[in-house]
C-alpha cells in the first residue's frame, strides 16, 4: 500500500487548523470568560521536523486548536488529522490516545522508520496538556510503548 | 598488465557485486554511507573462515599461523595503500569512530592540559566532534572551530587565528566532507599546524574511497578510516599514527594481546601495534579490508578471478589506481550536478558553480517544499537509495540554516543511467507531493 495515499497527501497539501504561530487568537472573544491558551513545541531532531500546538482550554475541554510546523508529509498530515479530532476533548481523553489511534487515522502501514514522523503531533499534544497540568512530559520511549487497552 | 589509460569497464565491475546483480538492479546512490562489497572480498573472508579460522598471535598450530599471516598481510596491504613508513603504524580498530576515540582518549588524556585547545572544522562528522567534546568536559580544554566560506571550505584565517593563541595541540579535520563533497586544503592545514607545534588528525572516512592518501607525503600525524566505505566489510577500521607518537601513547582498551606481561601488581603493555589491539581483533574483516584494497588497486580491472592472497599488485605505487577511478567519479558528479540543477527549486549545497572547486564522492541538496525523508522514502519504494537527514553533521546543517538535506553519493560501480533514473524520480516525487 502506498504510504503517500491520497488522504495523506490531501492533509499535507491542505493542512487543517494550521496557522502561523503569531496569528493564533489569544483568547476566545465570543465567551465572556477568557479561556486559557497553552503553547508547546516539540521537535524531531533526527530529521528537523517541528510542531507547535496552541490550545484554548475551558472547563477542562479543548475549545480551540491551532498548530504550526515544518516537516515531512507524514508528520504534517498526522498532525492535521489529529487536529480535526480534538474539539471538545477532555484532558483525560487526550491522555488515553495511543500511537495506534494515529496509525488508524493515517490508514497506511507505518514502519519503525517512520513511527516518530507519525507520532510527533501526538507527542506535542500530550506534552502541551502536561505543560498545562504541570506534570512531567511523556518521552518518545514511553509514547511508542503505549498500547490500546 | 592492465592499461591504466583505459576507462573503467563499469559493466564488468558491476558484475562483481552480488548486491548489484539483483534483478531488476537497484539504483544504489548511498555509497557514502555504505559501499557495496565485491565477490573478491566476500570470497577472501569465506576462505579465511573455511580454512584459516583461528585466533591470531596465540597458539602454535598450523591454522593459528595461517591466520596470523593473513592478518598481518592485511596490515601490510593497508600500510602500502597509505604509503605508511612502518607496518606497526597501522592499528586495526572496529571503525573509524573507534580510531578517532582512540586518539582522543589515549593521546588526548595524556598530552592535553586544562586551557589547551583543539581545532575542528564546521564540516566535521559527529564522530570527529563528540570524542573531543567528551575530552573537553573531562580535561577543561577548549574546542575551537574553523568556519566555512561560501564554497563550504574551512576558513584558513580561522585556523591561523586559533593557532596564534599558542594553545592549539591538535587540529582534527575531515579529508573529505560527507555532505558537501569538498576537500579542505590538507597540505596547508598540516603545514600551518606543524609550524605552530600542533598535530593533525585526518578523518578519512570518505576520502579513503575517492582519492590517493599518502601519509608520508601529507605528513599527517594520525589518519582514520573504516572498511565499509572502501568496498570492504563492516566492523573494521584503521588508525594510522606516526610511530614516534603511538609509542608515547598509553593503551586505549585493556585486555589480551595488548600486554607484554601481567602480574599480580600490574602489567606492561605490548609493543606497537598490539598495544592498541586489545582482545581478539576482527580478523576476517581485516582480511576482507586488505582484499578490498587489492581489489581497488588492480582486481576490479582484471578479467580473471583474483586470488585472495594475491601480492603481485602490492608493489604498485599508491596513486596509480586513481587515474581511472577519479575521472569516472568526476564525470558522474558533474552529470548529477548538471541534471539536478535543471530541477526548479532544487538547491545544491557546497561550492558555487564559478568556484572551480572539484568535489568528490557526493552531492547534497534541498528541494523547496519537499522534506528529504519524503523524497527518499518515495525514491526508496522505487529501489532508488539515497540518504536523507543531517548525515551526522548537525553543526554543519545548522550553519547552512537547514534542518536536513538529501545526499546522492557515487562509487566505482555507479552509472550515469542510475543518476538519470534518480533525477527523473525526483521530479515525479515532487509532483506527487505538491500537485
Amino acid at each position: 500500500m502506498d504510504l503517500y495515499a491520497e488522504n495523506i497527501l490531501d492533509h499535507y497539501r491542505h493542512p487543517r487548523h494550521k496557522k502561523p504561530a503569531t496569528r493564533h487568537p489569544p483568547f476566545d472573544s465570543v465567551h465572556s470568560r477568557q479561556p486559557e491558551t497553552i503553547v508547546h513545541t516539540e521537535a524531531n531532531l533526527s530529521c528537523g521536523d517541528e510542531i507547535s500546538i496552541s490550545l484554548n482550554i475551558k472547563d477542562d475541554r479543548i475549545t480551540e486548536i491551532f498548530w504550526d510546523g515544518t516537516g515531512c508529509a507524514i508528520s504534517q498530515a498526522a498532525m492535521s488529522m489529529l487536529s480535526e479530532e480534538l474539539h471538545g476533548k477532555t484532558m483525560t481523553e487526550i491522555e488515553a490516545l495511543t500511537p495506534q489511534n494515529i496509525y488508524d487515522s493515517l490508514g497506511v502501514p507505518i514502519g519503525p522508520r517512520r513511527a516518530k514522523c507519525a507520532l510527533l503531533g501526538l507527542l506535542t499534544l500530550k506534552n502541551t496538556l502536561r505543560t498545562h497540568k504541570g506534570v512531567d512530559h511523556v518521552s518518545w520511549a514511553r509514547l511508542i510503548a503505549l498500547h490500546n487497552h | 598488465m592492465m592499461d591504466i589509460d583505459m576507462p573503467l569497464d563499469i559493466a564488468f565491475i558491476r558484475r562483481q557485486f552480488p548486491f548489484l546483480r539483483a534483478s531488476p538492479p537497484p539504483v544504489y546512490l548511498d555509497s557514502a554511507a555504505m559501499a557495496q562489497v565485491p565477490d573478491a572480498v566476500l570470497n577472501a573472508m569465506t576462505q579465511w573462515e573455511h580454512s584459516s579460522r583461528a585466533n591470531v598471535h596465540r597458539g602454535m598450530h598450523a591454522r593459528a599461523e595461517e591466520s596470523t599471516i593473513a592478518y598481518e598481510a592485511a596490515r601490510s596491504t593497508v600500510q602500502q595503500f597509505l604509503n605508511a613508513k612502518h607496518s606497526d603504524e597501522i592499528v586495526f580498530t572496529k571503525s573509524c569512530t573507534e580510531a578517532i576515540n582512540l586518539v582522543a582518549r589515549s593521546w588526548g588524556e595524556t598530552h592535553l592540559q586544562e586551557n589547551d585547545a583543539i581545532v575542528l572544522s564546521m564540516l566535521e562528522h559527529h564522530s570527529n566532534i563528540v570524542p573531543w567534546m567528551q575530552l573537553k568536559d573531562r580535561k577543561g580544554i577548549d574546542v575551537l572551530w574553523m568556519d566555512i566560506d561560501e564554497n563550504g571550505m574551512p576558513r584558513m584565517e580561522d585556523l591561523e587565528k586559533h593557532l596564534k593563541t599558542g594553545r592549539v595541540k591538535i587540529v582534527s579535520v575531515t579529508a573529505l566532507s560527507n555532505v558537501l563533497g569538498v576537500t579542505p586544503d590538507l597540505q596547508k592545514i598540516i603545514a600551518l599546524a606543524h609550524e605552530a607545534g600542533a598535530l593533525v588528525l585526518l578523518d578519512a572516512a570518505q576520502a579513503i574511497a575517492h582519492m590517493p592518501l599518502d601519509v608520508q607525503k601529507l605528513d599527517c600525524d594520525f589518519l582514520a578510516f573504516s572498511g565499509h566505505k572502501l568496498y570492504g566489510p563492516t566492523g573494521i577500521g584503521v588508525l594510522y599514527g606516526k610511530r614516534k607518537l603511538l609509542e608515547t601513547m598509553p593503551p586505549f582498551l585493556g585486555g589480551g594481546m595488548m600486554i607484554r606481561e601481567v602480574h599480580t601488581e600490574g602489567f606492561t603493555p605490548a609493543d606497537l601495534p598490539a598495544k592498541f589491539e586489545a582482545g581478539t581483533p576482527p580478523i576476517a574483516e581485516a582480511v576482507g579490508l586488505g582484499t578490498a584494497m587489492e581489489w581497488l588497486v588492480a582486481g576490479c580491472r582484471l578479467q580473471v578471478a583474483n586470488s585472495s592472497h594475491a601480492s603481485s599488485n602490492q608493489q604498485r605505487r599508491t596513486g596509480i589506481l586513481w587515474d581511472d577511478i577519479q575521472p569516472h567519479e568526476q564525470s558522474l558528479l558533474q552529470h548529477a550536478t548538471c541534471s539536478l540543477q535543471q530541477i526548479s527549486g532544487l538547491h545544491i549545497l557546497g561550492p558555487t558553480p564559478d568556484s572551480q572547486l572539484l568535489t568528490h564522492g557526493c552531492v547534497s541538496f534541498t528541494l523547496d517544499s519537499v522534506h528529504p525523508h519524503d523524497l527518499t522514502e518515495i525514491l526508496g519504494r522505487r529501489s532508488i537509495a539515497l540518504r536523507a537527514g543531517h548525515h551526522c553533521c548537525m553543526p554543519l546543517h545548522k550553519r547552512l540554516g537547514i534542518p536536513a538535506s538529501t545526499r546522492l553519493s557515487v562509487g566505482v560501480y555507479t552509472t550515469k543511467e542510475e543518476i538519470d533514473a534518480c533525477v527523473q524520480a525526483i521530479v515525479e516525487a515532487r509532483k506527487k507531493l505538491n500537485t
Side-chain angles (χ1 to χ4, degrees):
Chain A
M1 191 176 186
D2 190 358
L3 182 62
Y4 297 90
E6 206 40 57
N7 68 323
I8 290 178
L9 289 175
D10 181 54
H11 276 271
Y12 174 57
R13 293 174 195 141
H14 311 289
R16 326 293 199 258
H17 299 278
K18 184 176 178 180
K19 286 188 183 173
T22 51
R23 281 170 44 210
H24 290 187
F27 58 87
D28 184 353
S29 54
V30 180
H31 298 87
S32 53
R33 210 176 116 211
Q34 185 176 317
E36 275 189 90
T37 304
I38 323 144
V39 183
H40 181 70
T41 304
E42 290 278 353
N44 217 336
L45 293 177
S46 65
C47 53
D49 289 2
E50 193 173 284
I51 286 178
S52 293
I53 291 180
S54 173
L55 293 177
N56 285 354
I57 295 178
K58 194 175 164 188
D59 300 332
D60 197 41
R61 285 185 190 276
I62 294 173
T63 55
E64 197 83 86
I65 169 160
F66 294 104
W67 65 278
D68 196 14
T70 55
C72 67
I74 305 302
S75 71
Q76 304 299 296
M79 183 64 236
S80 175
M81 290 174 177
L82 180 61
S83 72
E84 292 195 302
E85 307 292 323
L86 300 179
H87 189 84
K89 284 272 193 306
T90 64
M91 291 164 76
T92 314
E93 287 169 318
I94 299 299
E95 276 294 299
L97 288 173
T98 66
Q100 194 57 49
N101 297 126
I102 303 296
Y103 301 153
D104 291 345
S105 305
L106 288 166
V108 295
I110 298 292
R113 203 167 69 243
R114 300 306 291 268
K116 286 176 96 174
C117 308
L119 301 178
L120 180 61
L122 182 61
L123 181 86
T124 313
L125 175 66
K126 283 179 182 273
N127 285 340
T128 305
L129 288 165
R130 282 167 172 249
T131 301
H132 177 59
K133 274 172 146 178
V135 296
D136 285 349
H137 286 175
V138 65
S139 67
W140 271 115
R142 290 283 297 279
L143 179 74
I144 289 169
L146 280 181
H147 295 292
N148 287 330
H149 307 294
Chain B
M1 284 292 288
M2 65 177 187
D3 183 346
I4 59 166
D5 294 326
M6 287 285 285
L8 291 177
D9 181 348
I10 303 302
F12 170 66
I13 286 176
R14 289 180 71 86
R15 283 199 298 277
Q16 297 178 62
F17 284 80
F19 184 87
L20 301 174
R21 292 199 291 264
S23 181
V27 174
Y28 190 72
L29 298 169
D30 196 20
S31 293
M34 173 76 73
Q36 295 302 327
V37 185
D39 290 322
V41 169
L42 297 168
N43 292 344
M45 292 173 74
T46 304
Q47 189 182 327
W48 178 85
E49 297 284 3
H50 284 186
S51 60
S52 310
R53 185 181 165 93
N55 219 325
V56 292
H57 298 294
R58 300 158 168 88
M60 294 294 141
H61 56 88
R63 278 197 167 193
E65 187 173 40
E66 279 172 31
S67 185
T68 302
I69 289 169
Y71 183 62
E72 293 306 322
R75 196 189 308 279
S76 298
T77 304
V78 176
Q79 176 201 349
Q80 283 153 19
F81 196 81
L82 299 176
N83 195 30
K85 206 166 181 179
H86 311 287
S87 72
D88 61 11
E89 294 178 319
I90 305 300
V91 177
F92 285 124
T93 63
K94 80 168 160 65
S95 60
C96 182
T97 298
E98 187 183 284
I100 297 172
N101 274 272
L102 192 164
V103 177
R105 297 283 171 120
S106 172
W107 179 85
E109 289 282 1
T110 320
H111 292 86
L112 293 178
Q113 314 291 332
E114 197 174 344
N115 294 324
D116 283 345
I118 70 128
V119 174
L120 305 175
S121 89
M122 203 54 83
L123 294 175
E124 301 316 311
H125 188 281
H126 295 164
S127 61
N128 191 29
I129 298 175
V130 178
W132 303 109
M133 290 295 177
Q134 291 176 309
L135 204 56
K136 176 186 166 168
D137 294 341
R138 281 200 303 273
K139 303 281 291 190
I141 59 161
D142 284 327
V143 174
L144 308 175
W145 294 87
M146 293 169 78
D147 195 10
I148 50 172
D149 64 18
E150 68 280 8
N151 291 314
M153 293 285 277
R155 289 182 181 277
M156 286 300 161
E157 56 267 37
D158 286 355
L159 178 62
E160 288 170 350
K161 183 182 73 188
H162 297 325
L163 291 172
K164 268 187 194 151
T165 65
R167 298 193 294 130
V168 177
K169 295 294 185 286
I170 192 166
V171 178
S172 194
V173 290
T174 183
L176 173 59
S177 165
N178 67 317
V179 178
L180 305 182
V182 292
T183 294
D185 188 343
L186 303 178
Q187 295 278 15
K188 191 166 180 190
I189 290 173
I190 293 165
L192 287 170
H194 284 176
E195 217 169 278
L199 302 179
V200 175
L201 182 152
L202 296 182
D203 172 0
Q206 296 294 325
I208 194 74
H210 300 289
M211 61 186 63
L213 290 169
D214 180 328
V215 292
Q216 290 191 70
K217 197 171 152 204
L218 281 166
D219 197 27
C220 56
D221 301 285
F222 300 105
L223 181 142
F225 67 93
S226 44
H228 67 273
K229 304 199 201 287
L230 189 66
Y231 314 103
T234 59
I236 180 92
V238 167
L239 173 69
Y240 158 81
K242 284 179 180 167
R243 183 193 263 175
K244 65 176 171 35
L245 289 167
L246 293 177
E247 281 174 348
T248 68
M249 290 159 54
F252 170 46
L253 301 172
M257 194 141 120
M258 52 69 69
I259 46 84
R260 173 177 291 133
E261 186 187 25
V262 179
H263 39 86
T264 50
E265 280 76 42
F267 74 97
T268 50
D271 291 334
L272 293 176
K275 179 166 80 171
F276 294 113
E277 295 184 355
T280 294
I283 308 167
E285 289 76 9
V287 169
L289 174 60
T291 307
M293 288 176 164
E294 289 169 354
W295 179 85
L296 198 62
V297 170
C300 69
R301 302 165 188 81
L302 298 178
Q303 299 282 335
V304 291
N306 210 356
S307 152
S308 62
H309 292 298
S311 57
S312 61
N313 52 48
Q314 291 186 3
Q315 298 307 313
R316 290 174 196 279
R317 293 193 340 272
T318 50
I320 289 179
L321 74 163
W322 303 105
D323 292 352
D324 49 5
I325 293 175
Q326 281 198 316
H328 168 63
E329 293 186 352
Q330 281 303 318
S331 77
L332 289 170
L333 283 185
Q334 279 165 17
H335 182 67
T337 304
C338 290
S339 307
L340 289 169
Q341 274 168 344
Q342 306 300 314
I343 301 174
S344 67
L346 188 145
H347 311 281
I348 290 178
L349 308 174
T352 59
D354 53 349
S355 70
Q356 310 268 309
L357 279 171
L358 277 187
T359 54
H360 301 270
C362 69
V363 55
S364 296
F365 57 89
T366 60
L367 186 55
D368 290 346
S369 321
V370 176
H371 192 284
H373 282 176
D374 289 327
L375 180 62
T376 53
E377 172 98 41
I378 292 173
L379 264 51
R381 281 158 191 264
R382 297 174 62 172
S383 292
I384 301 173
L386 278 80
R387 171 89 187 264
H390 50 59
H391 317 297
C392 298
C393 292
M394 288 177 90
L396 174 62
H397 279 79
K398 189 167 185 200
R399 171 66 179 79
L400 297 170
I402 51 174
S405 60
T406 304
R407 178 181 71 189
L408 182 163
S409 56
V410 301
V412 66
Y413 38 61
T414 308
T415 65
K416 283 187 179 165
E417 288 72 25
E418 288 181 293
I419 289 167
D420 290 340
C422 173
V423 170
Q424 178 64 32
I426 291 171
V427 173
E428 289 167 20
R430 190 184 51 178
K431 202 173 159 202
K432 181 184 176 93
L433 287 164
N434 286 342
T435 50

